[in-house]
Amino acid sequence: MQHYPEAALYVVATPIGNLSDITLRALHVLQLVHAIACEDTRHTQTMLRQYGIDKPLLAVHEHNEEEAALLVIERLRRGERVAYVSDAGTPAVSDPGARLVAAVRAAGLAILPLPGASSVTTAMSVAGISGGAGFVFAGFLPSKALERDQAVLLLLADPRATVILEAPHRIEALARAMVPLGRRLVTVGRELTKQFEEIVTVAAEDLSAWLAAGSQRTRGEFALVLHPGEEAQTGNDGNRVLQLLLAELPLKTAVKLAAEITSAPRNELYEAALQLKKN
């Protein structure tokens, strides 16, 4: 029998789309707690109504998390149980909640996680990637073009699978940035668990074309799994990365980044860069 102590913060995973994906334990705790802290009170209120739950709501989002954490801690010290939910999925990963959890821990109070829906593991489960190399969770890549391009190029040197999240208004830019990954496979999960869910596996260089093939394909939230690549070959990969970087950056900066990405000798890359510039 699970024990639900007082004066504790309950970090509760909620559905990422389909309301039926709530767990029985989550429903029990949301009924049990004195208050529910949440990313968006309007969104959470709508969700709770579907389950017949009515509780006081506390707004704890990315813009007020540090100050709001103090109010949550005050409630906990009074012996209350408080739940925290984000708008969808598991809090404190890509959604707010991490600073709240850290503040509650620093205050010496109890924190209990309630597992549930996650776009990360949902996407991985349909990618069909076997083996024990594990995967990397990259979350949302930088929004600025140059920083995003550099982040994608870093993936060339990592043979592990990588999970990337993206919003609809940036998915086409991400697809363009992934072209240098060539034939490396990407499993795209669009609107996972929702009515218009779509899952497809394409080569990274073909992702832009897939998005362009249907107007609905750029809508909704995305979870992408970049499949494992072959171990980096420093010579070929170094020159390939160098060519891509030289198109956007000064020579010395391109050489420095190419060396960091591929671990190729910097002096060799510098000579190659001079030759590329000359040609």
Side-chain angles (χ1 to χ4, degrees):
M1 190 71 166
Q2 180 71 43
H3 176 55
Y4 298 100
E6 296 180 345
L9 175 69
Y10 294 83
V11 182
V12 182
T14 56
I16 58 176
N18 191 318
L19 288 172
S20 297
D21 289 337
I22 193 77
T23 68
L24 294 175
R25 187 172 169 223
L27 289 174
H28 176 71
V29 166
L30 292 175
Q31 289 277 19
L32 182 67
V33 296
H34 295 84
I36 299 172
C38 56
E39 183 178 359
D40 185 324
T41 56
R42 293 167 300 179
H43 177 94
T44 299
Q45 186 69 69
T46 300
M47 178 191 72
L48 292 175
R49 285 198 189 106
Q50 301 298 313
Y51 303 127
I53 298 173
D54 183 17
K55 293 286 178 176
L57 300 181
L58 312 172
V60 182
H61 47 73
E62 61 177 333
H63 302 297
N64 78 339
E65 193 169 352
E66 290 185 11
E67 309 90 78
L70 299 177
L71 299 177
V72 172
I73 290 170
E74 183 180 332
R75 283 176 169 266
L76 296 176
R77 284 178 171 156
R78 293 202 301 260
E80 294 186 12
R81 299 182 183 95
V82 178
Y84 182 75
V85 300
S86 59
D87 285 350
T90 303
V93 181
S94 282
D95 294 336
R99 284 181 288 181
L100 171 62
V101 168
V104 172
R105 179 182 297 112
L109 296 162
I111 306 164
L112 285 80
L114 273 69
S118 165
S119 60
V120 177
T121 51
T122 300
M124 280 295 298
S125 73
V126 291
I129 297 169
S130 59
F135 68 92
V136 177
F137 174 57
F140 290 92
L141 298 187
S143 58
K144 293 183 178 179
L146 181 57
E147 293 176 4
R148 180 177 54 243
D149 292 347
Q150 292 174 358
V152 170
L153 288 173
L154 284 170
L155 301 177
L156 278 171
D158 195 332
R160 294 170 296 179
T162 303
V163 180
I164 301 167
L165 305 181
E166 194 51 275
H169 64 282
R170 292 207 305 254
I171 188 62
E172 291 174 294
L174 176 62
R176 290 191 295 271
M178 295 181 79
V179 169
L181 299 176
R183 303 306 298 171
R184 195 162 166 181
L185 295 179
V186 180
T187 293
V188 181
R190 187 182 72 84
E191 290 289 83
L192 289 172
T193 79
K194 300 176 185 177
Q195 181 179 357
F196 299 107
E197 175 184 84
E198 194 165 10
I199 299 168
V200 66
T201 299
V202 299
E205 63 186 8
D206 296 332
L207 180 55
S208 287
W210 181 82
L211 291 171
S215 59
Q216 81 284 358
R217 290 182 177 175
T218 56
R219 299 173 186 167
E221 301 299 322
F222 291 82
L224 304 95
V225 180
L226 177 64
H227 287 229
E230 297 180 359
E231 295 290 343
Q233 302 295 317
T234 57
N236 292 337
D237 277 357
N239 288 337
R240 183 183 180 196
V241 171
L242 187 60
Q243 284 182 294
L244 294 167
L245 292 174
L246 282 171
E248 304 289 341
L249 300 171
L251 187 144
K252 288 185 178 179
T253 305
V255 169
K256 179 178 181 291
L257 284 173
E260 291 176 359
I261 291 169
T262 66
S263 299
R266 187 174 298 193
N267 59 337
E268 292 182 13
L269 289 172
Y270 188 79
E271 292 298 324
L274 291 176
Q275 190 61 44
L276 286 167
K277 282 288 189 182
K278 182 179 179 180
N279 294 339

